[in-house]
Amino acid sequence: MEQVTNLGEVRKKRKRKKLLRAAAAIIFILAVTYGAAAIMNHQDYMGPASFFTMLQGGEGYPVEAPGGKSKGLYTAGGNLAVVNDTDLFLYNTKGSQIFNVKHHMANPLAKSAGNFLLMFDRGGKGYSLYNRVDPVADGKMETPIYTGAVAQNGVFAIATRGKDYLSQVTVYSRSSQEQYSWNYADKMATNIALSPNGSKMAVAALYTQDGVLHSQLLLYNDGQLVETRDFEDEVVCHLLFTNDDTIVGITDATAFSITSKGKLRGEFHYQGQGLSAFAATEHTTVLLLGSYQQNGGYDLISLTEDMLKESSAKVQGTVHQICADDENAYILAGNRFYQCNLKTGALKVETLSDYVYDVIPLGRYVYAVTNEQITRTVKEDISQWQTAPQNKDQEDNPEPEPPEENNQGASPPPEGTKGEEPGNVPEEENSEGSKEETPPPTEEKPQGVPGL
């Protein structure tokens, strides 16, 4: 007797087999891509957690702010990093929170490069290194931390108070193995920058001579001191390797570009104007010069890679945040948000309805955190604009007050905040609850400067 075939069941089985084959093919392709990234580009290697975040969706922006006291916005591996007083949060471009960890740091700061994010407790002793959402290193220094830096391949450096010296800088591999260490008997290390491949380092240190404050720039290659450069009566506020052979530096009197061997490429003098804030990228340097108290605003200056003036604009109001990418500067000033094209000086000005604590560019968006939400807006091409659109409320609106401090935000730094000079350093309770002498915050000497 012939067997009767159920055609409906056969079709269902064939459909299930096709779906299983398609799913297996997708998993195989992702696995091959993942393995190739690990072999061909080890500094971008993704751990298991990072791999699965590729598949994680979200409902898009805006999303609810995580709460707590906001400490800063950063980028790492194409994701948005939000640091508050208790936690580190990572959000992908779809608005999904893909990572959250408690940092147990009293004064958390972060530096990022490529896929890596280094967090350290300034004035405390703890540090953590992350590759996207994967923890890579976690440890404690023996003495309080002054500052830190990370390279695109995960090599990182930390400056601390030395046991028998004024300061010490130690360079570690991405697995937290010590590679080099330098002690400074009469200098306090205040800034560090690492080249993208981690083989070169620039250190800025403060010292006094005959009652005058000096800064010294020390350049290293594979652990060997190559060159030094001194700045009399100047404080180095920022250092950045724009590539493996070029360093950009910003002091409170000049901006400069030098090679990794110390040869000067270009220099820009502020001509007596005070430095209020700054931002720097691989291809441009942005300065806010002047005084709000004296002039009611600032001169925004854009510099080329060779420190030549490229454009300028006027910014009104009390600036409490500035950041930049290679095309625009983004400024929070009073109740206004400025976008300035760095090649033409054209301005886009918006009056804000909510107080914005921080902004940062990522991809084709600008992200912002308010008391309630993390939002984003598409960058607008304003390169052809000749002047900023006039807003009748710009001159009439008073400076806004930030919301009362609660568990959904933090007050911004006060206007005119300056770093303390050595010898006038307040004591601050570190993450272990003991009193530690914190270093002078020379990195934050100009107000509102972010860690990019």
Side-chain angles (χ1 to χ4, degrees):
M1 180 181 292
E2 293 183 358
Q3 185 177 357
V4 178
T5 302
N6 188 328
L7 294 178
E9 287 296 325
V10 171
R11 291 191 182 101
K12 287 181 180 179
K13 288 181 180 179
R14 289 177 178 173
K15 188 175 182 179
R16 281 197 296 267
K17 287 181 180 179
K18 288 181 180 179
L19 290 174
L20 289 173
R21 288 171 182 166
I26 292 172
I27 292 173
F28 176 76
I29 292 170
L30 289 175
V32 170
T33 304
Y34 170 73
I39 295 170
M40 299 176 66
N41 198 14
H42 65 275
Q43 67 264 30
D44 293 331
Y45 171 77
M46 299 180 294
S50 294
F51 177 66
F52 287 108
T53 60
M54 294 170 60
L55 308 178
Q56 192 167 339
E59 297 182 357
Y61 290 87
V63 299
E64 185 179 355
K69 293 182 179 180
S70 177
K71 296 292 186 177
L73 294 180
Y74 306 89
T75 61
N79 298 314
L80 179 70
V82 181
V83 178
N84 68 10
D85 55 339
T86 59
D87 291 66
L88 165 66
F89 302 87
L90 260 68
Y91 297 84
N92 64 18
T93 56
K94 298 177 182 179
S96 178
Q97 186 185 116
I98 58 176
F99 184 67
N100 171 219
V101 64
K102 292 194 176 297
H103 53 64
H104 305 291
M105 298 180 184
N107 188 20
L109 290 180
K111 300 290 181 71
S112 64
N115 297 326
F116 289 91
L117 181 79
L118 173 68
M119 284 189 63
F120 53 91
D121 190 5
R122 192 162 184 267
K125 298 178 181 179
Y127 68 87
S128 299
L129 180 68
Y130 301 92
N131 180 1
R132 290 188 172 95
V133 300
D134 296 310
V136 176
D138 186 76
K140 282 188 176 294
M141 306 301 291
E142 296 182 359
T143 53
I145 296 173
Y146 290 166
T147 188
V150 64
Q152 291 184 12
N153 64 355
V155 172
F156 65 100
I158 294 180
T160 64
R161 188 174 68 197
K163 285 184 176 181
D164 302 312
Y165 300 89
L166 190 57
S167 61
Q168 180 182 51
V169 175
T170 307
V171 177
Y172 299 90
S173 68
R174 58 186 288 176
S175 59
S176 219
Q177 298 298 313
E178 182 177 324
Q179 293 184 316
Y180 317 108
S181 184
W182 298 268
N183 295 307
Y184 306 102
D186 58 349
K187 302 179 184 68
M188 176 178 286
T190 57
N191 273 271
I192 307 174
L194 291 169
S195 62
N197 64 12
S199 66
K200 298 172 183 177
M201 182 174 70
V203 176
L206 285 175
Y207 68 99
T208 59
Q209 183 176 356
D210 299 326
V212 178
L213 186 68
H214 295 256
S215 288
Q216 186 174 68
L217 179 63
L218 303 101
L219 304 178
Y220 297 89
N221 188 355
D222 290 327
Q224 302 298 316
L225 181 63
V226 175
E227 185 63 270
T228 62
R229 178 180 287 267
D230 288 274
F231 300 85
E232 183 176 352
D233 200 23
E234 292 184 44
V235 175
V236 176
C237 305
H238 185 67
L239 293 172
L240 172 70
F241 270 89
T242 59
N243 54 53
D244 283 326
D245 192 52
T246 305
I247 304 159
V248 164
I250 299 173
T251 81
D252 55 355
T254 59
F256 62 90
S257 174
I258 60 172
T259 69
S260 59
K261 294 182 179 180
K263 181 180 179 181
L264 186 66
R265 298 178 68 249
E267 195 172 24
F268 180 83
H269 295 269
Y270 308 158
Q271 304 299 329
Q273 286 188 289
L275 176 66
S276 295
F278 58 83
T281 73
E282 293 181 0
H283 301 292
T284 189
T285 300
V286 183
L287 308 171
L288 275 178
L289 303 178
S291 168
Y292 173 73
Q293 287 87 351
Q294 295 179 4
N295 306 318
Y298 308 88
D299 292 323
L300 187 150
I301 307 296
S302 169
L303 304 176
T304 67
E305 297 178 36
D306 295 324
M307 294 297 145
L308 299 175
K309 183 176 177 180
E310 187 165 34
S311 69
S312 63
K314 294 287 186 181
V315 175
Q316 303 297 320
T318 305
V319 171
H320 67 267
Q321 185 60 281
I322 180 174
C323 59
D325 54 27
D326 290 337
E327 298 175 352
N328 300 286
Y330 309 94
I331 301 134
L332 295 174
N335 66 334
R336 302 170 203 125
F337 169 71
Y338 290 81
Q339 177 183 333
C340 178
N341 183 271
L342 299 178
K343 291 190 178 297
T344 66
L347 284 174
K348 173 188 175 183
V349 188
E350 296 181 13
T351 300
L352 302 172
S353 58
D354 294 322
Y355 194 91
V356 178
Y357 293 98
D358 207 349
V359 294
I360 193 168
L362 174 60
R364 63 189 187 97
Y365 297 100
V366 179
Y367 292 77
V369 58
T370 72
N371 200 46
E372 301 291 338
Q373 295 179 322
I374 301 172
T375 64
R376 74 179 184 187
T377 182
V378 177
K379 297 176 187 175
E380 186 172 349
D381 183 5
I382 62 171
S383 59
Q384 302 304 314
W385 292 18
Q386 298 303 311
T387 59
Q390 295 301 310
N391 186 320
K392 63 184 178 61
D393 295 327
Q394 285 183 26
E395 300 304 326
D396 298 330
N397 285 350
E399 298 291 332
E401 294 293 331
E404 289 186 8
E405 185 176 304
N406 55 29
N407 62 354
Q408 279 285 343
S411 299
E415 166 68 11
T417 299
K418 299 291 182 181
E420 294 87 1
E421 298 295 338
N424 295 316
V425 181
E427 289 189 341
E428 186 174 67
E429 192 172 48
N430 68 4
S431 58
E432 296 180 329
S434 61
K435 294 286 186 178
E436 294 287 356
E437 182 181 345
T438 57
T442 51
E443 286 184 279
E444 286 72 38
K445 182 178 180 183
Q447 58 164 1
V449 177
L452 298 161

